[in-house]
């Protein structure tokens, strides 16, 4: 089944404790992206990747890191999480950027205490 | 800079009513792509439609229709004879051809369809 998977789905952590949210797609898509969803703010793009080893900042990259060492994986790293990073995070992928629709993962609800 | 505005934060209708969700976009590119996504209460995001800037043809898919007007920079979404299952948050999104990779979403419109 074609899909985007994220792990974990739910995470409660404390300020400053490094964490990684994994994202994997099995559709051989070139493009992957991370978003955060906050009430009233829609989806805001954190980072995106046009292909392996190519990443770039979205609109809200502060406090986040990403890497794209393999085509299928695009982990989101929070090296020192803070309470303002409490949010619902979505990973997405598409065949190529801009033209194709994005396929979204199920979301990761993160709470930073 | 690209921008998407969904001015309607929440809309509530009674089943079988028609409802239009507005989307206004800003871009300096001549090549761009517009999308609508649906997020039902279960939380997943589902693609509904894509339009490119060179195709102003309106589209109808069952009870759903989309009206793309470059003159007013709008890409509105109409649900005819709404049903309870249409209750969801709907997002309009924009990607620019020259800024491939950047994707901008509107804040979303929460549609509630009451029985």
């Amino acid at each position: 089944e074609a899909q985007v998977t994220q792990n974990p789905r739910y995470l409660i952590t404390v300020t400053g404790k490094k964490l990684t949210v994994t994202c994997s797609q099995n559709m051989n898509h070139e493009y992957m992206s991370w978003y955060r969803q906050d009430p009233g703010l829609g989806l805001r793009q954190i980072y995106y990747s046009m292909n392996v080893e190519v990443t770039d900042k979205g609109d809200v990259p502060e406090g986040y890191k990403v890497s794209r060492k393999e085509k299928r994986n695009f982990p989101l790293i929070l090296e020192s999480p803070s309470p303002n990073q409490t949010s619902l995070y979505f990973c997405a992928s598409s065949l190529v950027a801009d033209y194709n629709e994005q396929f979204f993962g199920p979301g990761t609800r993160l709470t930073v205490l | 800079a690209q921008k998407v505005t969904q001015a309607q934060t929440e809309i509530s209708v009674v089943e079988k009513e028609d409802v239009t969700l507005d989307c206004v976009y800003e871009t300096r590119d001549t090549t761009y792509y517009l999308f609508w996504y649906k997020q039902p209460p279960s939380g997943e995001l589902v693609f509904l439609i894509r339009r490119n800037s060179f195709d102003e043809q309106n589209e109808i898919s069952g009870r759903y229709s989309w009206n793309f007007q470059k003159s007013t920079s709008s890409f509105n979404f109409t649900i005819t004879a709404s049903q309870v299952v249409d209750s969801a948050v709907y997002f309009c999104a924009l990607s620019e051809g020259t800024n491939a990779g950047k994707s901008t979403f509107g804040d979303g419109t929460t549609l509630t369809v009451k029985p």
Side-chain angles (χ1 to χ4, degrees):
Chain A
E1 180 191 355
Q3 60 182 347
V4 178
T5 57
Q6 295 179 229
N7 282 292
R9 294 288 313 279
Y10 303 91
L11 179 60
I12 300 174
T13 189
V14 295
T15 298
K17 186 176 181 182
K18 181 179 179 178
L19 67 93
T20 299
V21 183
T22 65
C23 173
S24 183
Q25 51 94 3
N26 62 2
M27 295 170 278
N28 202 34
H29 285 171
E30 290 188 356
Y31 176 84
M32 297 185 75
S33 184
W34 276 102
Y35 299 88
R36 60 178 289 174
Q37 183 178 11
D38 302 291
L41 295 177
L43 285 123
R44 293 181 292 168
Q45 193 175 38
I46 303 171
Y47 270 95
Y48 61 92
S49 171
M50 303 288 278
N51 213 323
V52 176
E53 302 291 1
V54 181
T55 63
D56 210 341
K57 296 177 181 178
D59 293 321
V60 288
E62 296 77 20
Y64 305 95
K65 284 177 59 176
V66 293
S67 68
R68 186 95 180 270
K69 295 186 171 63
E70 306 165 280
K71 199 170 189 178
R72 63 183 295 130
N73 296 323
F74 191 44
L76 179 69
I77 303 157
L78 286 72
E79 296 217 322
S80 184
S82 62
N84 64 13
Q85 293 178 297
T86 292
S87 188
L88 178 59
Y89 291 87
F90 286 98
C91 179
S93 73
S94 68
L95 192 58
V96 294
D98 68 273
Y99 173 75
N100 293 105
E101 68 272 22
Q102 295 181 61
F103 293 81
F104 285 85
T108 294
R109 187 164 292 282
L110 172 65
T111 301
V112 183
L113 302 175
Chain B
Q2 55 192 44
K3 185 178 179 182
V4 175
T5 301
Q6 295 180 255
Q8 304 150 308
T9 304
E10 295 182 9
I11 300 176
S12 181
V13 300
V14 176
E15 213 171 14
K16 297 184 184 175
E17 282 186 30
D18 298 347
V19 57
T20 295
L21 310 181
D22 297 332
C23 172
V24 174
Y25 62 92
E26 293 179 28
T27 177
R28 293 179 182 172
D29 264 22
T30 55
T31 301
Y32 53 89
Y33 307 92
L34 295 162
F35 305 82
W36 276 95
Y37 292 87
K38 175 182 180 180
Q39 186 178 40
S42 51
E44 73 271 22
L45 282 150
V46 179
F47 164 75
L48 294 177
I49 191 171
R50 173 189 61 237
R51 261 289 170 268
N52 73 56
S53 51
F54 300 109
D55 182 5
E56 281 194 79
Q57 222 175 2
N58 293 328
E59 180 153 341
I60 299 174
S61 176
R63 297 184 295 106
Y64 295 172
S65 62
W66 291 269
N67 183 298
F68 175 31
Q69 290 197 328
K70 288 176 73 170
S71 60
T72 55
S73 297
S74 65
F75 185 42
N76 297 337
F77 173 29
T78 297
I79 302 174
T80 304
S82 59
Q83 299 177 1
V84 172
V85 293
D86 295 326
S87 295
V89 182
Y90 291 88
F91 292 100
C92 181
L94 166 69
S95 294
E96 294 176 333
T98 56
N99 203 6
K102 285 292 289 286
S103 189
T104 299
F105 283 71
D107 291 345
T109 296
T110 300
L111 173 65
T112 302
V113 181
K114 298 177 181 176

